[in-house]
Amino acid sequence: MTTTHDSGTYRPPAPGRPDIRQRTLRTDRWWLPPLANALGLATFVVYATIRSLWGAAYYVEEYHYLSPFYSPCVTASCVPEASHLGQWFPALPWFLPYALVSLPFLLLFRLTCYYYRKSYYRAFWSSPPACAVAEPHTKYTGETRFPLILQNAHRYFFYVAGLISILNTYDMVLAFQSTDPATGQTSFGIGLGTIILLINVIGLWLYTLSCHSCRHITGGRLKHFSKHPVRYRIWTGVSKLNTRHMLFAWITIATLILTDLYIMLVSSGTISDLRIVN
Ligand code: FES
């Protein structure tokens, strides 16, 4: 049914959706968070896409720094020293990333993340643009139909992301070494790059462990916490982290870019690594 409203043609909302006739009653700058989110997410997507396909300046051989966008480096195009898990594929065309086995899962892990979903539904889809602001869409099916029903696969990407975080941790541990280019001898070393990699890995673990799926895996489907004290303690810890999940989501976007950018600058010879212990 269509009725006429004083501001023009009025279409009733879809069943189950609130009947808000003004666009919003809010008087604050409600559009600021979705705008900031759109800019932040777009920056990350553009940067990560360009760098993943760049195919250069992703590894510092002397200090064993490997960019997280290239881990694991598994194609014949990779620098052999950067291929910690071996080279599983021949040289790939430019439109396929060297970290072919991890990046699609990491992308899907973030894309289906409960927080990012809220963020990009608001920023790019206006569904809704903000709390108490009417959305432009007349139909609403939530995540009950294809393709959005696939968002429910998030829990499976969580397991893969956990494995990749272990891999990133391994890369970070290797960065506590330095190799003398003259003698080829490897010894313990710490540089600014090591610290940056360490901060990035801590951030990645905080983001991964604060995931809503992790919270469910550790404490979900239990009738009596008292009968599962260990799971209860883990669930309590994960729940505390979970309250900061949005913060970790943004921190890791920043640390991923910073880590890759630093390694790119050192690897290309634009700057030298600041060594703390050689
Ligand atoms: Fe964000 Fe799982 S909810 S990573």
Side-chain angles (χ1 to χ4, degrees), residues 109-110 112-117 154-155 158 207-208 210-214 242 245 249:
F109 182 52
R110 298 234 170 200
T112 58
C113 163
Y114 286 58
Y115 166 66
Y116 285 123
R117 268 143 78 176
H154 180 67
R155 69 199 77 168
F158 164 79
Y207 173 69
T208 307
S210 64
C211 168
H212 291 63
S213 293
C214 181
N242 182 256
H245 191 58

Side-chain angles (χ1 to χ4, degrees), residues 1-185:
M1 184 185 77
T2 300
T3 58
T4 302
H5 192 249
D6 55 9
S7 60
T9 302
Y10 167 68
R11 285 193 294 181
R17 304 298 287 163
D19 185 5
I20 303 171
R21 302 196 182 197
Q22 288 89 343
R23 189 175 181 216
T24 184
L25 300 176
R26 289 180 63 169
T27 53
D28 61 337
R29 289 185 292 175
W30 57 264
W31 45 267
L32 203 51
L35 177 65
N37 286 346
L39 291 175
L41 293 174
T43 303
F44 180 68
V45 169
V46 170
Y47 181 89
T49 304
I50 292 174
R51 276 297 292 153
S52 302
L53 300 176
W54 193 287
Y58 57 87
Y59 186 63
V60 181
E61 191 173 338
E62 198 175 344
Y63 306 126
H64 306 257
Y65 297 160
L66 177 61
S67 164
F69 293 135
Y70 285 80
S71 178
C73 211
V74 288
T75 86
S77 309
C78 296
V79 178
E81 292 75 14
S83 303
H84 302 140
L85 298 188
Q87 298 185 339
W88 307 349
F89 302 104
L92 297 173
W94 67 269
F95 54 84
L96 290 176
Y98 289 8
L100 190 67
V101 294
S102 59
L103 287 185
F105 292 103
L106 287 179
L107 176 70
L108 289 168
F109 182 52
R110 298 234 170 200
L111 197 69
T112 58
C113 163
Y114 286 58
Y115 166 66
Y116 285 123
R117 268 143 78 176
K118 170 191 160 188
S119 180
Y120 67 76
Y121 285 168
R122 292 183 174 202
F124 296 117
W125 217 327
S126 293
S127 181
C131 286
V133 179
E135 58 186 87
H137 313 284
T138 53
K139 222 168 111 204
Y140 178 80
T141 53
E143 294 174 338
T144 59
R145 292 187 191 174
F146 182 83
L148 292 186
I149 198 167
L150 296 179
Q151 302 277 31
N152 289 302
H154 180 67
R155 69 199 77 168
Y156 305 111
F157 300 130
F158 164 79
Y159 292 115
V160 184
L163 292 176
I164 295 170
S165 290
I166 293 173
L167 197 58
N168 290 142
T169 308
Y170 177 69
D171 294 339
M172 178 271 294
V173 170
L174 292 182
F176 279 88
Q177 298 176 321
S178 61
T179 301
D180 187 331
T183 63
Q185 273 197 332

Side-chain angles (χ1 to χ4, degrees), residues 109 158 161-162 165 201-218 234-245 248:
F109 182 52
F158 164 79
S165 290
V201 163
I202 291 172
L204 291 178
W205 275 115
L206 289 173
Y207 173 69
T208 307
L209 294 177
S210 64
C211 168
H212 291 63
S213 293
C214 181
R215 189 165 175 264
H216 179 72
I217 289 162
T218 53
I234 297 172
W235 176 82
T236 307
V238 170
S239 296
K240 282 186 189 150
L241 290 179
N242 182 256
T243 62
R244 303 259 188 281
H245 191 58
F248 299 142

